[in-house]
Amino acid sequence: MRTTMWTTMLVASILAGGCAKAPPEMQVIDEAASALGGKARLQAVKTLVIEGEGPAPNVGQNTMPDGELPVWQVTEYKQTIDLATGRSRTQQRRTAQFLFAGATVQRLDQGLDGDTAYNVGPDGAMTRAGAAAAAERRIELLRHPITIVRAALDPAAKISHLRQEDNTQVVDIATAKGDNVTLVVDNATKLPLRVTSMSDNANMGDVAVATSFSGYEDVAGLKLPKRLTTNIDKYLQFDLRVSKNAVDVDAGSLTASEAVNAATPAQPAPIVVTTEPVAKGIWWLAGSGNHRSIVFEFEDHLLLFEVPLNEARSKAVIDKARTVSQKPLTHVVVSHHHFDHSGGLRVAVAEGLTVITHRGNEAFFKDLVARKHSIVPDELEKNPKPLKLELVDDERTLKDKAMEIHLYHLLDNPREGTNLFAYVPRDRILVQADLYDASWQQHLWGENVLWNIEHRKLRVDKDVPVHGVIEPFAQMVKTIKAKPSIPAAN
Ligand SMILES: [Zn+2]
Ligand SMILES: [Zn+2]
């Protein structure tokens, strides 16, 4: 009797629960699902294949810090998603629309199979990518109305923080896998307008990565966007114009091979910094990777040329620079604003170094130093210090009894608007970043570099670069002359 009564009460409460209106956060998701074709249709989708093309700007590589970004034009873009298994693969071909020293046509082929991120090379060989790539691709997979609303419908997902913004409803979604994104839904159409996630960028710190959806079309009982525009912070990252949305077509193989699944995820290469004396009081700090720095010994202090890439590389370089002499390391020349050359700016500031750079970088560097790095706190976030900046206009000489360096602004270069290079008259050494690397496929601005050296009346014997190897200047000239180059403007 007792049992029956309890059972009756339980059934009644379940029924009541079933009839109750969903919480308002969930209503937003339910309405979005209806607008996209209905919950049942959405849940039944097996595969999605998106083809198209569009520009993918190269963030942090513009000629001037506030100038237009150089663009990769992505053609033959194809993203295949198997919604049932959560596998995906993105294949693209891209062409550089800017002066580029490397391969100007590139193919990318990247996949995700469960927790395994993999890359496929031009020869078809599959390799396992790192854990960070897997996490990034899992979030990337949510940057589509169908995938995000399906993920939000998962009973294990948490929907929260409903708010109204302009003519939209906004909710935060924590997916069953623990990824956090924000979804914006149009009040009138109930269609998803945007998915945003927060992530860490080595240079910019906390950044919002937002993908907007527009131009919805009807395909196989669903509404699918014809345009997906992704911005990172204030920069356009990719503006995909969809030429074809296909539903439930053959997805081909998206699985990682057994060998790849069994492989250890790729680890970032260990950082090695070597010390090579170049001349009296001058050391070249090379080692792993292809970003080198140069240390100069003055009478009572040391000066470093370049803190490249990121905090990890630059901290290792700063530590190494401090071992070449007892004198304190006090100054760093940051050659220019490109992200792979200014990636150590913040750690240099945190280490108390005075930054010498071209005046054109002033506002940009002030912004980089002021930015929040709360997602992955760096040294400057944990230990804020003021930026000590010394700005160079056309040229500057740093000189005492022990050392003399001339800094020059690279003039009229089509790729490098704020670049400072150095010249050591005693040893006739050129120190430069991005002017020349012997391994480049083409030296498109080589003639401009030679013109700059001539214009400054420098008698260079040796090139001591940030990228590449130390070479006699005669060899550098020979290499530049042998490869296609645009004529110097002057
Ligand atoms: Zn550069
Ligand atoms: Zn570079």
Side-chain angles (χ1 to χ4, degrees):
M1 181 68 201
R2 225 182 139 81
T3 314
T4 311
M5 194 181 79
W6 276 111
T7 310
T8 310
M9 281 173 70
L10 194 63
V11 168
S13 75
I14 286 169
L15 282 174
C19 293
K21 254 183 129 191
E25 293 85 4
M26 207 54 220
Q27 270 182 52
V28 175
I29 302 300
D30 288 343
E31 286 169 358
S34 301
L36 288 169
K39 216 185 270 188
R41 178 69 194 97
L42 223 55
Q43 305 278 28
V45 176
K46 290 185 192 73
T47 66
L48 204 54
V49 180
I50 301 155
E51 289 174 74
E53 61 181 343
N58 206 356
V59 177
Q61 294 294 335
N62 35 10
T63 303
M64 295 300 290
D66 56 355
E68 224 176 283
L69 292 173
V71 167
W72 287 102
Q73 183 66 25
V74 176
T75 56
E76 302 174 28
Y77 177 93
K78 185 181 181 189
Q79 184 186 19
T80 309
I81 306 169
D82 183 328
L83 287 110
T85 61
R87 294 189 183 108
S88 73
R89 187 160 172 176
T90 304
Q91 292 155 296
Q92 48 189 310
R93 180 181 185 270
R94 61 182 196 178
T95 308
Q97 308 290 299
F98 57 99
L99 300 173
F100 185 57
T104 54
V105 179
Q106 301 180 351
R107 282 185 184 278
L108 301 175
D109 189 344
Q110 304 174 321
L112 181 69
D113 180 359
D115 291 328
T116 303
Y118 62 86
N119 299 330
V120 182
D123 55 352
M126 191 184 275
T127 50
R128 184 157 183 176
E136 207 171 281
R137 287 174 201 179
R138 216 171 54 221
I139 296 232
E140 219 146 85
L141 206 46
L142 298 173
R143 300 186 177 284
H144 191 277
I146 302 298
T147 53
I148 185 59
V149 173
R150 267 179 62 135
L153 287 170
D154 186 321
K158 290 193 184 70
I159 321 297
S160 63
H161 195 199
L162 170 65
R163 62 259 192 211
Q164 302 283 330
E165 281 173 18
D166 301 322
N167 294 317
T168 66
Q169 289 189 298
V170 183
V171 286
D172 294 338
I173 300 168
T175 67
K177 292 201 163 143
D179 296 318
N180 293 293
V181 299
T182 297
L183 173 67
V184 179
V185 175
D186 186 87
N187 265 351
T189 64
K190 308 295 183 193
L191 289 167
L193 288 179
R194 191 162 64 248
V195 166
T196 305
S197 63
M198 293 302 297
S199 75
D200 174 67
N201 176 275
N203 293 72
M204 296 187 282
D206 302 357
V207 288
V209 183
T211 302
S212 302
F213 314 117
S214 58
Y216 277 94
E217 64 170 349
D218 294 297
V219 182
L222 294 164
K223 288 247 186 263
L224 301 176
K226 289 279 279 179
R227 187 172 180 184
L228 296 92
T229 308
T230 301
N231 288 283
I232 177 165
D233 202 71
K234 60 182 174 183
Y235 303 105
L236 175 66
Q237 191 174 59
F238 185 32
D239 191 9
L240 173 63
R241 312 297 181 105
V242 178
S243 55
K244 191 179 170 196
N245 278 310
V247 178
D248 291 343
V249 292
D250 181 13
S253 174
L254 306 177
T255 44
S257 69
E258 254 174 64
V260 162
N261 262 321
T264 318
Q267 302 286 325
I271 295 165
V272 178
V273 184
T274 55
T275 314
E276 185 178 318
V278 173
K280 188 171 183 289
I282 304 175
W283 294 265
W284 192 55
L285 308 188
S288 55
N290 189 21
H291 285 79
R292 290 78 160 83
S293 302
I294 298 90
V295 190
F296 297 93
E297 183 176 15
F298 286 78
E299 227 183 338
D300 62 355
H301 69 279
L302 300 174
L303 174 141
L304 187 60
F305 187 99
E306 216 72 322
V307 275
L309 277 181
N310 50 34
E311 177 170 89
R313 173 76 199 175
S314 287
K315 179 70 170 81
V317 165
I318 288 169
D319 289 346
K320 193 63 141 186
R322 286 177 170 145
T323 67
V324 303
S325 148
Q326 298 289 320
K327 295 172 189 175
L329 175 67
T330 55
H331 290 74
V332 60
V333 175
V334 178
S335 69
H336 64 298
H337 71 283
H338 286 168
F339 274 1
D340 59 318
H341 294 267
S342 60
L345 172 70
R346 288 175 56 92
V347 70
V349 174
E351 292 286 325
L353 308 188
T354 297
V355 175
I356 301 171
T357 196
H358 184 257
R359 187 175 298 279
N361 297 320
E362 182 180 10
F364 190 66
F365 281 13
K366 281 181 174 168
D367 177 62
L368 287 182
V369 167
R371 294 186 72 109
K372 270 201 99 43
H373 284 239
S374 68
I375 297 170
V376 180
D378 63 358
E379 209 182 302
L380 191 62
E381 178 79 22
K382 290 183 253 181
N383 179 22
K385 285 226 177 88
L387 169 64
K388 292 180 279 179
L389 210 48
E390 288 183 11
L391 299 168
V392 179
D393 288 300
D394 185 53
E395 64 170 288
R396 182 170 164 199
T397 300
L398 306 167
K399 184 181 177 181
D400 64 15
K401 280 182 197 144
M403 184 58 66
E404 177 177 348
I405 305 173
H406 297 194
L407 297 174
Y408 296 105
H409 178 208
L410 183 73
L411 301 175
D412 301 323
N413 189 284
R415 280 282 294 127
E416 305 283 329
T418 67
N419 194 309
L420 287 184
F421 64 95
Y423 177 65
V424 185
R426 183 195 66 195
D427 308 298
R428 296 185 179 174
I429 285 173
L430 172 72
V431 171
Q432 53 82 15
D434 284 1
L435 272 58
Y436 167 83
D437 174 345
S439 72
W440 282 349
Q441 294 190 14
Q442 53 263 331
H443 296 275
L444 298 172
W445 49 93
E447 290 292 343
N448 167 272
V449 169
L450 298 182
W451 173 81
N452 266 275
I453 289 165
E454 205 180 290
H455 174 71
R456 301 294 185 175
K457 301 188 169 51
L458 312 181
R459 299 181 58 186
V460 180
D461 280 348
K462 200 190 277 185
D463 173 44
V464 180
V466 168
H467 296 306
V469 293
I470 297 175
E471 263 186 1
F473 184 64
Q475 181 59 48
M476 170 174 162
V477 174
K478 209 173 142 192
T479 306
I480 287 174
K481 297 279 185 197
K483 298 210 178 168
S485 183
I486 52 166
N490 307 79

